[in-house]
Amino acid sequence: MAYDKKLLSAARRELERDREAHEDELEARRRDIYAREPRIRAIDRELSATAIQVLRAALEQGSDPEKAIASLRERNLSLQEERSRLLRGLGLPADWLTNRPMCEKCGDTGYEGAATCECVKRRYARLLKQQLSSVLPIEDQNFEKFNLSYYSPRIDPNMHDSPLENIKVNLFECKAYARNFGENSPNLLLYGSTGLGKTFLSTCVAEAVSARGFSVAYDTAINIIAAYETIKFGNGDGAAAAERAARYERADLLIIDDMGTEMGTAFTVSALYNLINNRLMAHRPMIVNTNLLPDELKKRYSPAVASRLLGEFKQLRFFGDDIRMLKSRMQNR
């Protein structure tokens, strides 16, 4: 998994803020309890001071520290029992003032040994989803909301199958892809006419993969090329374009939408080839959506680009009536 360094740092800062809030809440509890039962404050002070005092006295007197430790243990147990009784007398659990970490695995450090703790990964996954929701309607476009009723059950004589059965297969494939996504996942090529659910399904995949903590870069081919043009020719915000390009290149999953709508220049073909080929070499999965059929892809792009799209991607074809047009007619009735 390739972490987005900015988001990972944000997740760690969030953990630090949560830890501070947790400690502030505990301190507020202490102040409240000490005001209600001053004896508990006295016990806490003695518990924190006794160990140092007893051991220091034993060392200064040259006596056996084991006896001092045994005496200290007995005294501390007595104080802890008294403290528990007082707290229960206030209607509170015995551990009400115990400083327990929010995460038992890492003690709120964010690390399990040298590895990032799951508590940070959960925060990271949530931030990834928030970032994705700023560019995609993932709240409205997810697998739970994919509606099969728009697809016809009638057999298409040219395809020897119905749009409904076809989309069921594609939906199954996309769900399995999202569920099993990892660094060895295949690439997907979603192709067919407009308004058949390619963008919707790729958004569903993006939402599900992001929720599992993988970074997702999603953009149209036009915007992707624009970023590389800005970097190459300096005709815009170079820093922002470089940051976007880094996401395209390093994200765990890159989804290129509307491929084939960008200007067909030599620079465009070269930029797409470099991006796709570099990700293939690095084993970073991609999903490409296009309205072009395989033969049209061969005509549109160089043999190097077309061979990668058709040879290195699992192909899912979409056919049927334009869902957007169907929805529009239904709403206007």
Side-chain angles (χ1 to χ4, degrees):
M1 182 184 295
Y3 287 111
D4 182 309
K5 292 182 179 179
K6 285 188 175 181
L7 287 185
L8 185 60
S9 295
R12 295 196 186 283
R13 288 195 301 272
E14 185 179 283
L15 173 62
E16 176 65 24
R17 290 194 298 270
D18 289 347
R19 182 171 64 239
E20 291 175 355
H22 181 68
E23 292 172 352
D24 289 345
E25 180 185 356
L26 181 63
E27 184 57 32
R29 287 184 183 182
R30 286 198 182 102
R31 289 195 299 268
D32 174 61
I33 296 303
Y34 291 167
R36 294 165 63 186
E37 179 51 79
R39 173 58 185 159
I40 294 178
R41 179 199 293 269
I43 291 173
D44 283 350
R45 285 177 175 173
E46 184 173 350
L47 285 171
S48 63
T50 303
I52 297 175
Q53 293 171 352
V54 171
L55 290 176
R56 181 183 297 159
L59 291 173
E60 289 175 352
Q61 296 169 10
S63 58
D64 184 357
E66 290 186 5
K67 292 182 179 179
I69 292 173
S71 176
L72 169 65
R73 184 182 299 114
E74 184 177 347
R75 174 58 178 164
N76 280 357
L77 287 173
S78 176
L79 288 171
Q80 289 171 23
E81 289 175 3
E82 181 184 358
R83 186 174 186 262
S84 296
R85 287 196 303 272
L86 290 170
L87 285 168
R88 287 194 294 269
L90 294 172
L92 298 170
D95 64 351
W96 183 245
L97 299 182
T98 302
N99 188 5
R100 299 190 183 283
M102 297 177 294
C103 178
E104 297 291 342
K105 290 184 177 180
C106 71
D108 299 340
T109 65
Y111 292 94
E112 289 186 78
T116 299
C117 183
E118 289 298 322
C119 67
V120 174
K121 291 180 181 179
R122 287 193 296 271
R123 288 173 169 82
Y124 176 77
R126 181 174 48 74
L127 292 174
L128 277 174
K129 191 170 181 178
Q130 288 177 357
Q131 183 188 69
L132 193 62
S133 67
S134 68
V135 295
L136 288 175
I138 59 176
E139 296 301 323
D140 297 319
Q141 295 187 9
N142 51 62
F143 287 125
E144 289 71 25
K145 295 184 179 180
F146 193 85
N147 190 345
L148 292 171
S149 67
Y150 291 111
Y151 296 86
S152 173
R154 293 193 299 273
I155 299 293
D156 184 320
N158 296 319
M159 304 303 300
H160 306 292
D161 202 354
S162 70
L164 178 59
E165 292 306 312
N166 171 253
I167 198 62
K168 284 182 178 179
V169 171
N170 291 343
L171 177 60
F172 175 84
E173 291 286 349
C174 289
K175 282 184 173 180
Y177 186 88
R179 182 173 60 251
N180 301 317
F181 182 82
E183 61 181 12
N184 294 318
S185 290
N187 306 293
L188 297 182
L189 176 66
L190 279 56
Y191 71 93
S193 300
T194 60
L196 296 177
K198 299 185 299 297
T199 297
F200 196 118
L201 272 184
S202 56
T203 301
C204 294
V205 173
E207 189 273 337
V209 168
S210 176
R212 293 179 53 213
F214 293 97
S215 57
V216 179
Y218 193 121
D219 216 335
T220 64
I222 291 175
N223 288 340
I224 290 172
I225 294 303
Y228 285 107
E229 286 177 339
T230 297
I231 295 170
K232 175 71 174 179
F233 303 112
N235 56 350
D237 187 339
E243 185 174 343
R244 285 164 52 200
R247 287 202 301 271
Y248 303 148
E249 294 159 10
R250 299 173 189 169
D252 295 314
L253 174 64
L254 170 64
I255 301 178
I256 304 175
D257 200 16
D258 287 335
M259 190 165 172
T261 58
E262 73 284 354
M263 294 291 291
T265 66
F267 176 82
T268 294
V269 173
S270 175
L272 285 173
Y273 170 78
N274 287 332
L275 176 59
I276 292 171
N277 190 62
N278 288 342
R279 287 191 63 93
L280 287 174
M281 295 293 289
H283 302 287
R284 290 184 175 136
M286 292 169 279
I287 296 176
V288 170
N289 301 331
T290 181
N291 299 333
L292 303 177
L293 299 179
D295 286 345
E296 295 172 319
L297 286 170
K298 293 177 182 178
K299 295 176 183 178
R300 169 85 179 186
Y301 297 103
S302 68
V305 172
S307 67
R308 280 157 179 76
L309 289 174
L310 300 176
E312 301 288 345
F313 286 66
K314 182 175 183 177
Q315 299 177 29
L316 300 180
R317 180 164 189 178
F318 290 66
F319 64 88
D321 297 324
D322 189 324
I323 303 301
R324 297 191 192 98
M325 296 294 293
L326 179 60
K327 287 182 178 179
S328 177
R329 288 197 298 269
M330 293 175 66
Q331 291 171 356
N332 291 330
R333 285 178 182 176

